[in-house]
């Protein structure tokens, strides 16, 4: 094996993995000299996931200007940005054909640039072999490589720092936390005027800020995504069990662990805080359980989803949402079978079926699956928004709880305003939720009987 071997990274990786599985890796490494071992330890393409390699290397486009790396906490974003800068500064393939002489490092604060991007465990100083390691001069905010490449550190707290200097490339870390995001980004763009193709990498846990949305909509932007679990090998098992297990599926977890952009409308009936406040670990003994069905008007690829939500009410009048089993683009027999299965699984008291669209067809197809299931037909006499308002009021009063998390349903709730969903699609999951809660808490349904889940 040679440090300058032309063997592909994928082939070398596969050979090392095969050697490890065969128990011969130690013997193989023993045949390497010190330069070869150093090369193996620091050759990033051997260890990186596809989402951690530049777009042109991971099979994406080569004409990009902004590489947007979105990820959860601990997903390896810092290592991705640092390795890209290292590759540029040293002119290493596949990152660059020649060294980049001037690079900007921009973080939320000066301390973040120093402590995370430069001196951090995955920062620039840590990832270099000793012979290539740059020198950090804190007083000058400069990182200088032995080959003459220079990176300058800047804080998003002071956009004016970027007025004047010029660069070939930039690494912007935690963009969504920048205090002056728009101003700092604009100043950075004016400075990217060196080289044949100035480029920049943005590593950030996403938040729904205007700048991030604008970048994502730019045709010159390429987006990579990674959740926290993608980097599980490098994370403490206790962190995965306690933190990931606790927050998975919640708004905070989807943002901070899954790297998703969690949207919220200002005029929505529900806000994310209201939904998070409704979270419950488990349901108490329930007096009545229903499965609400909002059937699609048609079937096929363009059909709406069939909303399916199970919920129950306890003796104190608190409603607990148990499951969102909504089915996308299903034939009538399929969603009817799913509804009956949901009814059986939760030992429900009835199927509540909205019949405006399908009329009696909806109840008929359910009876074809199981004629013994009690079906309650409901018909909408008011618009969706008016029907949803009293249900939202129950959430505000703390009378409705979600047993676990239902990301797709909760996205519809936080996006449902007077004109419906911002996408224009039918809020099928939300409709089923509204029918379930209405049946349980907003209309009389007889004497309750207590059952334990």
């Amino acid at each position: 094996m040679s440090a300058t071997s032309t063997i592909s990274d994928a082939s070398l990786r596969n050979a090392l993995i095969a050697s490890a599985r065969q128990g011969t890796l130690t013997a193989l490494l023993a045949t390497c000299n010190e330069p070869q071992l150093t090369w193996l330890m620091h050759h990033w393409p051997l260890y990186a996931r596809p989402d951690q390699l530049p777009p042109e290397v991971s099979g994406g486009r080569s004409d990009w200007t902004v590489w947007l790396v979105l990820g959860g906490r601990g997903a390896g974003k810092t290592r991705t940005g640092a390795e890209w800068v290292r590759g540029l500064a040293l002119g290493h393939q596949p990152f660059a054909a020649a060294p980049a002489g001037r690079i900007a490092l921009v973080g939320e604060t000066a301390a973040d640039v120093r402590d995370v991007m430069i001196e951090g465990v995955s920062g620039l100083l840590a990832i270099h072999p000793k012979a290539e390691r740059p020198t950090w001069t804190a007083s000058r905010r400069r990182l200088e490589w032995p080959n003459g490449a220079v990176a300058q550190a800047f804080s998003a707290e002071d956009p004016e720092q970027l007025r004047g200097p010029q660069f070939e490339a930039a690494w912007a870390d935690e963009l969504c936390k920048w205090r002056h995001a728009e101003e700092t980004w604009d100043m950075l763009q004016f400075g990217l005027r060196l080289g044949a193709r100035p480029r920049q990498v943005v590593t950030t846990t996403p938040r729904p800020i205007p700048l991030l949305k604008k970048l994502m909509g730019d045709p010159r932007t390429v987006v990579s995504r990674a959740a926290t679990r993608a980097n599980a090998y490098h994370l403490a098992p206790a962190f995965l069990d306690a933190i990931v297990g606790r927050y998975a599926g919640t708004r905070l977890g989807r943002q901070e662990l899954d790297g998703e952009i969690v949207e919220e409308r200002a005029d929505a009936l529900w806000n994310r805080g209201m939904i998070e406040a409704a979270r419950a670990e488990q349901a108490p003994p329930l007096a009545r359980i229903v499965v609400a069905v909002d059937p699609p008007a048609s079937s096929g690829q363009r059909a709406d989803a069939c909303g399916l939500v199970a919920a129950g009410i306890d003796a104190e009048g608190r409603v607990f949402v148990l499951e969102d089993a909504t089915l996308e683009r299903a034939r009538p027999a399929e969603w009817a079978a799913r509804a009956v299965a949901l009814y059986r699984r939760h030992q429900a008291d009835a199927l509540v079926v909205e019949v405006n669209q399908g009329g009696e067809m909806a109840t008929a197809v359910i009876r074809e699956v199981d004629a013994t299931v009690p079906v309650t037909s409901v018909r909408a006499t008011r618009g969706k928004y008016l029907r949803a308002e009293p249900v939202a009021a129950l959430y505000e009063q703390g009378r409705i709880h979600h047993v676990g998390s239902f990301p797709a349903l909760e996205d519809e709730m936080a996006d449902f305003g007077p004109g419906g969903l911002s996408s224009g699609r039918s809020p099928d999951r939300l409709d089923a939720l509204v029918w379930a809660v209405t049946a349980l808490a907003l209309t009389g349904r007889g004497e309750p009987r207590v059952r334990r889940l």
Side-chain angles (χ1 to χ4, degrees):
M1 184 189 307
S2 168
T4 59
S5 174
T6 58
I7 187 172
S8 73
D9 294 324
S11 298
L12 181 55
R13 183 188 297 111
N14 292 338
L16 292 172
I17 292 173
S19 179
R21 288 173 175 169
Q22 295 165 7
T24 60
L25 181 59
T26 300
L28 175 64
L29 295 177
T31 66
C32 299
N33 57 33
E34 186 173 345
Q36 290 170 338
L37 289 173
T38 299
W39 181 85
L40 278 174
M41 289 176 59
H42 293 88
H43 189 56
W44 177 236
L46 284 180
Y47 309 102
R49 303 186 307 265
D51 61 90
Q52 293 180 301
L53 292 172
E56 62 269 30
V57 179
S58 58
R61 295 162 35 199
S62 61
D63 61 342
W64 59 275
T65 299
V66 176
W67 178 20
L68 195 54
V69 180
L70 304 182
R73 299 278 191 94
K77 302 185 301 297
T78 300
R79 182 68 182 268
T80 300
E83 290 286 359
W84 183 76
V85 170
R86 174 192 168 212
L88 290 186
L90 298 175
H92 284 175
Q93 294 286 355
F95 301 94
R102 294 291 182 268
I103 303 170
L105 307 175
V106 189
E108 180 187 5
T109 67
D112 289 313
V113 179
R114 180 191 66 233
D115 297 341
V116 177
M117 301 172 73
I118 296 172
E119 297 180 350
V121 293
S122 298
L124 284 160
L125 295 181
I127 64 171
H128 283 76
K130 186 175 181 180
E132 297 177 345
R133 188 170 300 149
T135 300
W136 167 237
T137 306
S139 60
R140 301 182 64 194
R141 297 183 288 108
R142 285 169 65 92
L143 198 65
E144 300 182 65
W145 279 263
N147 68 352
V150 174
Q152 292 178 259
F154 300 92
S155 166
E157 292 182 313
D158 185 6
E160 291 298 311
Q161 285 183 345
L162 286 158
R163 188 183 294 276
Q166 53 186 354
F167 315 100
E168 297 170 57
W171 172 21
D173 188 50
E174 292 299 353
L175 175 80
C176 293
K177 293 172 61 181
W178 289 4
R179 179 177 298 180
H180 306 290
E182 294 278 358
E183 298 90 333
T184 304
W185 183 260
D186 289 342
M187 288 296 100
L188 177 59
Q189 304 317 296
F190 286 117
L192 285 166
R193 54 183 185 262
L194 297 179
R197 182 188 290 274
R199 286 178 165 179
Q200 51 205 320
V201 164
V202 177
T203 53
T204 188
T205 298
R207 293 179 181 177
I209 65 170
L211 176 57
L212 183 63
K213 294 179 183 179
K214 181 170 67 175
L215 291 177
M216 294 183 70
D218 192 319
R220 297 165 298 179
T221 296
V222 175
V223 180
S224 297
R225 297 178 182 273
T228 298
R229 284 194 179 277
N231 205 35
Y233 180 81
H234 300 284
L235 302 174
F239 172 81
L240 293 172
D241 293 340
I243 303 301
V244 177
R246 176 180 178 183
Y247 292 103
T250 66
R251 178 203 62 78
L252 189 61
R254 292 174 64 194
Q255 174 180 286
E256 301 296 327
L257 299 176
D258 296 334
E260 294 184 26
I261 299 178
V262 184
E263 296 281 5
E264 181 174 275
R265 280 176 60 175
D267 63 346
L269 271 179
W270 288 266
N271 59 54
R272 295 286 179 180
M274 188 191 306
I275 295 170
E276 292 302 321
R279 204 76 66 194
E281 292 187 6
Q282 61 183 15
L286 297 174
R288 181 176 173 79
I289 299 172
V290 300
V291 171
V293 184
D294 182 65
S298 61
S299 59
Q301 289 298 314
R302 296 187 178 182
D304 294 330
C306 177
L308 292 167
V309 170
I313 191 168
D314 69 3
E316 298 179 7
R318 298 177 301 170
V319 175
F320 292 81
V321 181
L322 305 173
E323 186 174 352
D324 170 24
T326 296
L327 198 58
E328 299 284 348
R329 293 183 294 276
R331 295 189 299 271
E334 292 174 328
W335 60 253
R338 173 75 71 92
V340 170
L342 195 61
Y343 167 88
R344 296 294 183 198
R345 183 162 64 253
H346 289 283
Q347 300 180 5
D349 296 278
L351 287 179
V352 178
V353 183
E354 194 265 312
V355 297
N356 281 62
Q357 298 288 349
E360 295 307 315
M361 181 278 292
T363 57
V365 72
I366 291 172
R367 295 194 188 284
E368 288 180 6
V369 175
D370 190 337
T372 67
V373 174
V375 177
T376 301
S377 299
V378 291
R379 186 176 296 276
T381 58
R382 299 183 297 166
K384 297 178 186 291
Y385 189 85
L386 291 177
R387 293 201 309 272
E389 280 186 313
V391 175
L394 294 180
Y395 275 86
E396 289 185 311
Q397 295 165 13
R399 292 177 55 189
I400 301 182
H401 305 273
H402 289 192
V403 183
S405 59
F406 312 107
L409 169 61
E410 291 164 7
D411 282 350
E412 286 193 2
M413 295 169 68
D415 186 45
F416 185 73
L421 297 180
S422 58
S423 65
R425 296 191 59 183
S426 175
D428 306 295
R429 300 171 190 272
L430 178 58
D431 280 344
L433 171 71
V434 168
W435 285 123
V437 174
T438 300
L440 291 168
L442 297 174
T443 58
R445 292 294 175 187
E447 292 296 319
R449 59 188 178 89
V450 175
R451 64 169 77 244
R452 289 188 179 273
L453 295 182

